[in-house]
Amino acid sequence: MSPAPIIAPEGYQTESILRANKQAAEHGIDLSKLPKLTDLSATSITENVHAINSNCPDERMKFLFKHMIQHMHDFIRETSVTTEEWMTTIQFLTQTGKMCSDIRQEFILLSDTLGVSSLVDSINHAKPPSATEATVLGPFFTEDAHEFANGDSIASEGKGDYLYVHGRILDTKGNSVPHAVIDTWETDGFGLYDTQYAERTKPECRGRLKSDAEGKYAFRAIVPVSYPIPSDGPVGKMVTKLGRHVFRPSHLHMQIDAPGYEKLTTALYPKGDPYLLTDAVFGVKTSLMVDLKPINDPELSAKRGFADPNKIHMELEKDFILATPEEGDESRKKIHTEMMKTMKTGIEGLKLD
């Protein structure tokens, strides 16, 4: 015998509809104007997702989500992603998030290894030809660097081979930029950043200083070494499964900030490194490759403050040229024009202007 049907109390449906409309209205939503999201198919779901997102008051956000959803849906249709593959993706992203902390950003590492960071950087930090090129920030920048005076060392004794870095901060017209704030960081001679040590008690192989009144700067560091990106997390495992190596060429990070100029985030790459042309995070640019000069002069080594003046040190001389916001904007406009001429979107019905 079939159970008796459940009959809602009189007025229940009306009250439910009124309550739902009221709750929606509190969020600025008119339920009567929303698309009917039922019986959606592989060919109809995308347009309905676009439709229900079309009320977004933030035009830029609506634009970005429209394109992202279109690309994601097209990717899934084109590749026929299986349920198991999608769950693997979700688990991968979950594990990536769990690896993040105050001193480790696994999502930045993911962005770096997929070339996304380099692409975003190339678009958003384009510089005029006369300015120093930017490159990826990487996942190891921290805000707790100690402040140093010009000529001081960012590394403790025994952290690696001696390096002396100096040069000037200039604008595109050759004028000095005084009192620019310079952040610099690198691995130690063992290829590890200070944040990768469990017993880290203070910043190491990183520091913050200012250019002097003439735009000059100088500091002692250690000779950079190539190193593997962190391979104990999901991103390192992904790179290995893709048949790639996990190494970055030796480099010294530099970030320079001065009033009236665009902040420059860049890095210097000593020539001759075996990974220079196959960087795991796509960050190397020819203009950022530098020569290291050996200095075998005990008197000069002592003058520069090295603890063991009889030990040869390497010298890296590099001027950094900053662009103004106006110069940067002009360069970005050119990049955008070039991209629009060459880009094949494969997306129908979406406006790219």
Side-chain angles (χ1 to χ4, degrees), residues 3 7 60 79 121 170 188 190 208 233 235 266 284 296 318:
I7 302 175
R60 178 63 177 173
T79 59
D121 181 75
L170 306 168
D188 59 21
F190 302 101
R208 183 177 297 121
V235 175
T266 192
V284 180
N296 187 10
K318 177 68 175 180

Side-chain angles (χ1 to χ4, degrees), residues 108-349:
I108 291 181
L109 188 62
L110 176 60
S111 175
D112 290 351
T113 56
L114 294 179
V116 177
S117 297
S118 185
L119 176 59
V120 171
D121 181 75
S122 296
I123 295 170
N124 288 274
H125 297 114
K127 307 293 182 187
S130 55
T132 302
E133 284 192 278
T135 191
V136 292
L137 174 70
F140 294 106
F141 173 78
T142 69
E143 296 284 357
D144 65 348
H146 291 159
E147 294 188 5
F148 292 85
N150 257 295
D152 283 352
S153 179
I154 65 169
S156 300
E157 188 68 15
K159 287 294 182 178
D161 294 330
Y162 292 158
L163 175 68
Y164 189 77
V165 187
H166 67 110
R168 297 173 298 166
I169 310 299
L170 306 168
D171 65 17
T172 56
K173 297 179 177 60
N175 300 309
S176 299
V177 178
H179 314 304
V181 177
I182 303 168
D183 270 283
T184 182
W185 65 103
E186 63 176 332
T187 70
D188 59 21
F190 302 101
L192 293 172
Y193 288 93
D194 57 353
T195 56
Q196 293 178 281
Y197 287 98
E199 68 277 11
R200 180 185 191 258
T201 58
K202 64 177 183 178
E204 184 63 76
C205 295
R206 66 177 72 238
R208 183 177 297 121
L209 64 151
K210 290 183 179 181
S211 59
D212 66 16
E214 298 178 342
K216 296 179 181 179
Y217 76 92
F219 62 92
R220 283 173 283 132
I222 62 166
V223 175
V225 298
S226 54
Y227 63 89
I229 62 171
S231 301
D232 59 334
V235 175
K237 294 174 183 176
M238 176 198 74
V239 171
T240 300
K241 283 192 174 184
L242 287 171
R244 295 162 50 184
H245 72 68
V246 297
F247 287 89
R248 293 219 66 199
S250 55
H251 59 279
L252 176 69
H253 290 279
M254 302 285 289
Q255 188 175 79
I256 304 168
D257 195 11
Y261 300 92
E262 291 192 330
K263 179 183 287 188
L264 172 65
T265 299
T266 192
L268 302 177
Y269 298 86
K271 295 177 182 178
D273 190 287
Y275 301 106
L276 196 60
L277 303 181
T278 57
D279 182 11
V281 306
F282 311 98
V284 180
K285 297 179 180 179
T286 303
S287 68
L288 301 177
M289 296 180 186
V290 293
D291 290 304
L292 300 186
K293 177 183 176 182
I295 302 296
N296 187 10
D297 184 340
E299 185 176 345
L300 181 57
S301 293
K303 183 178 179 181
R304 287 177 168 176
F306 290 108
D308 184 356
N310 294 313
K311 185 178 177 181
I312 293 176
H313 73 267
M314 304 300 286
E315 180 182 68
L316 193 170
E317 184 175 5
K318 177 68 175 180
D319 293 342
F320 292 93
I321 303 175
L322 305 184
T324 65
E326 295 77 16
E327 292 170 331
D329 286 342
E330 186 63 29
S331 298
R332 286 184 284 278
K333 288 177 183 177
K334 291 180 181 179
I335 289 288
H336 180 78
T337 301
E338 292 172 3
M339 287 193 303
M340 292 301 102
K341 287 180 180 179
T342 59
M343 188 170 62
K344 296 179 181 179
T345 64
I347 303 173
E348 295 180 2

Side-chain angles (χ1 to χ4, degrees), residues 32-190:
S32 67
K33 295 182 179 180
L34 297 182
K36 306 302 183 286
L37 305 180
T38 57
D39 303 318
L40 299 180
S41 67
T43 56
S44 67
I45 188 169
T46 305
E47 61 186 79
N48 280 276
V49 177
H50 290 329
I52 202 165
N53 289 341
S54 64
N55 292 322
C56 177
D58 186 324
E59 290 298 321
R60 178 63 177 173
M61 182 177 179
K62 181 167 65 176
F63 172 84
L64 292 174
F65 269 76
K66 186 175 184 181
H67 282 260
M68 180 185 71
I69 289 164
Q70 186 73 48
H71 280 293
M72 289 182 67
H73 285 212
D74 285 345
F75 168 77
I76 290 170
R77 278 188 285 262
E78 290 168 5
T79 59
S80 297
V81 169
T82 66
T83 301
E84 291 76 15
E85 289 168 337
W86 190 240
M87 285 306 301
T88 298
T89 301
I90 291 173
Q91 291 166 1
F92 169 79
L93 293 174
T94 300
Q95 291 302 313
T96 299
K98 288 181 177 180
M99 290 296 294
C100 295
S101 68
D102 291 341
I103 57 175
R104 176 168 177 170
Q105 236 303 346
E106 192 79 357
F107 270 111
I108 291 181
L109 188 62
L110 176 60
S111 175
D112 290 351
T113 56
L114 294 179
V116 177
S117 297
S118 185
L119 176 59
V120 171
D121 181 75
S122 296
I123 295 170
N124 288 274
H125 297 114
K127 307 293 182 187
S130 55
T132 302
E133 284 192 278
T135 191
V136 292
L137 174 70
F140 294 106
F141 173 78
T142 69
E143 296 284 357
D144 65 348
H146 291 159
E147 294 188 5
F148 292 85
N150 257 295
D152 283 352
S153 179
I154 65 169
S156 300
E157 188 68 15
K159 287 294 182 178
D161 294 330
Y162 292 158
L163 175 68
Y164 189 77
V165 187
H166 67 110
R168 297 173 298 166
I169 310 299
L170 306 168
D171 65 17
T172 56
K173 297 179 177 60
N175 300 309
S176 299
V177 178
H179 314 304
V181 177
I182 303 168
D183 270 283
T184 182
W185 65 103
E186 63 176 332
T187 70
D188 59 21
F190 302 101

Side-chain angles (χ1 to χ4, degrees), residues 4-17:
I6 298 175
I7 302 175
E10 186 177 351
Y12 173 80
Q13 187 175 23
T14 301
E15 290 178 6
S16 178
I17 291 173

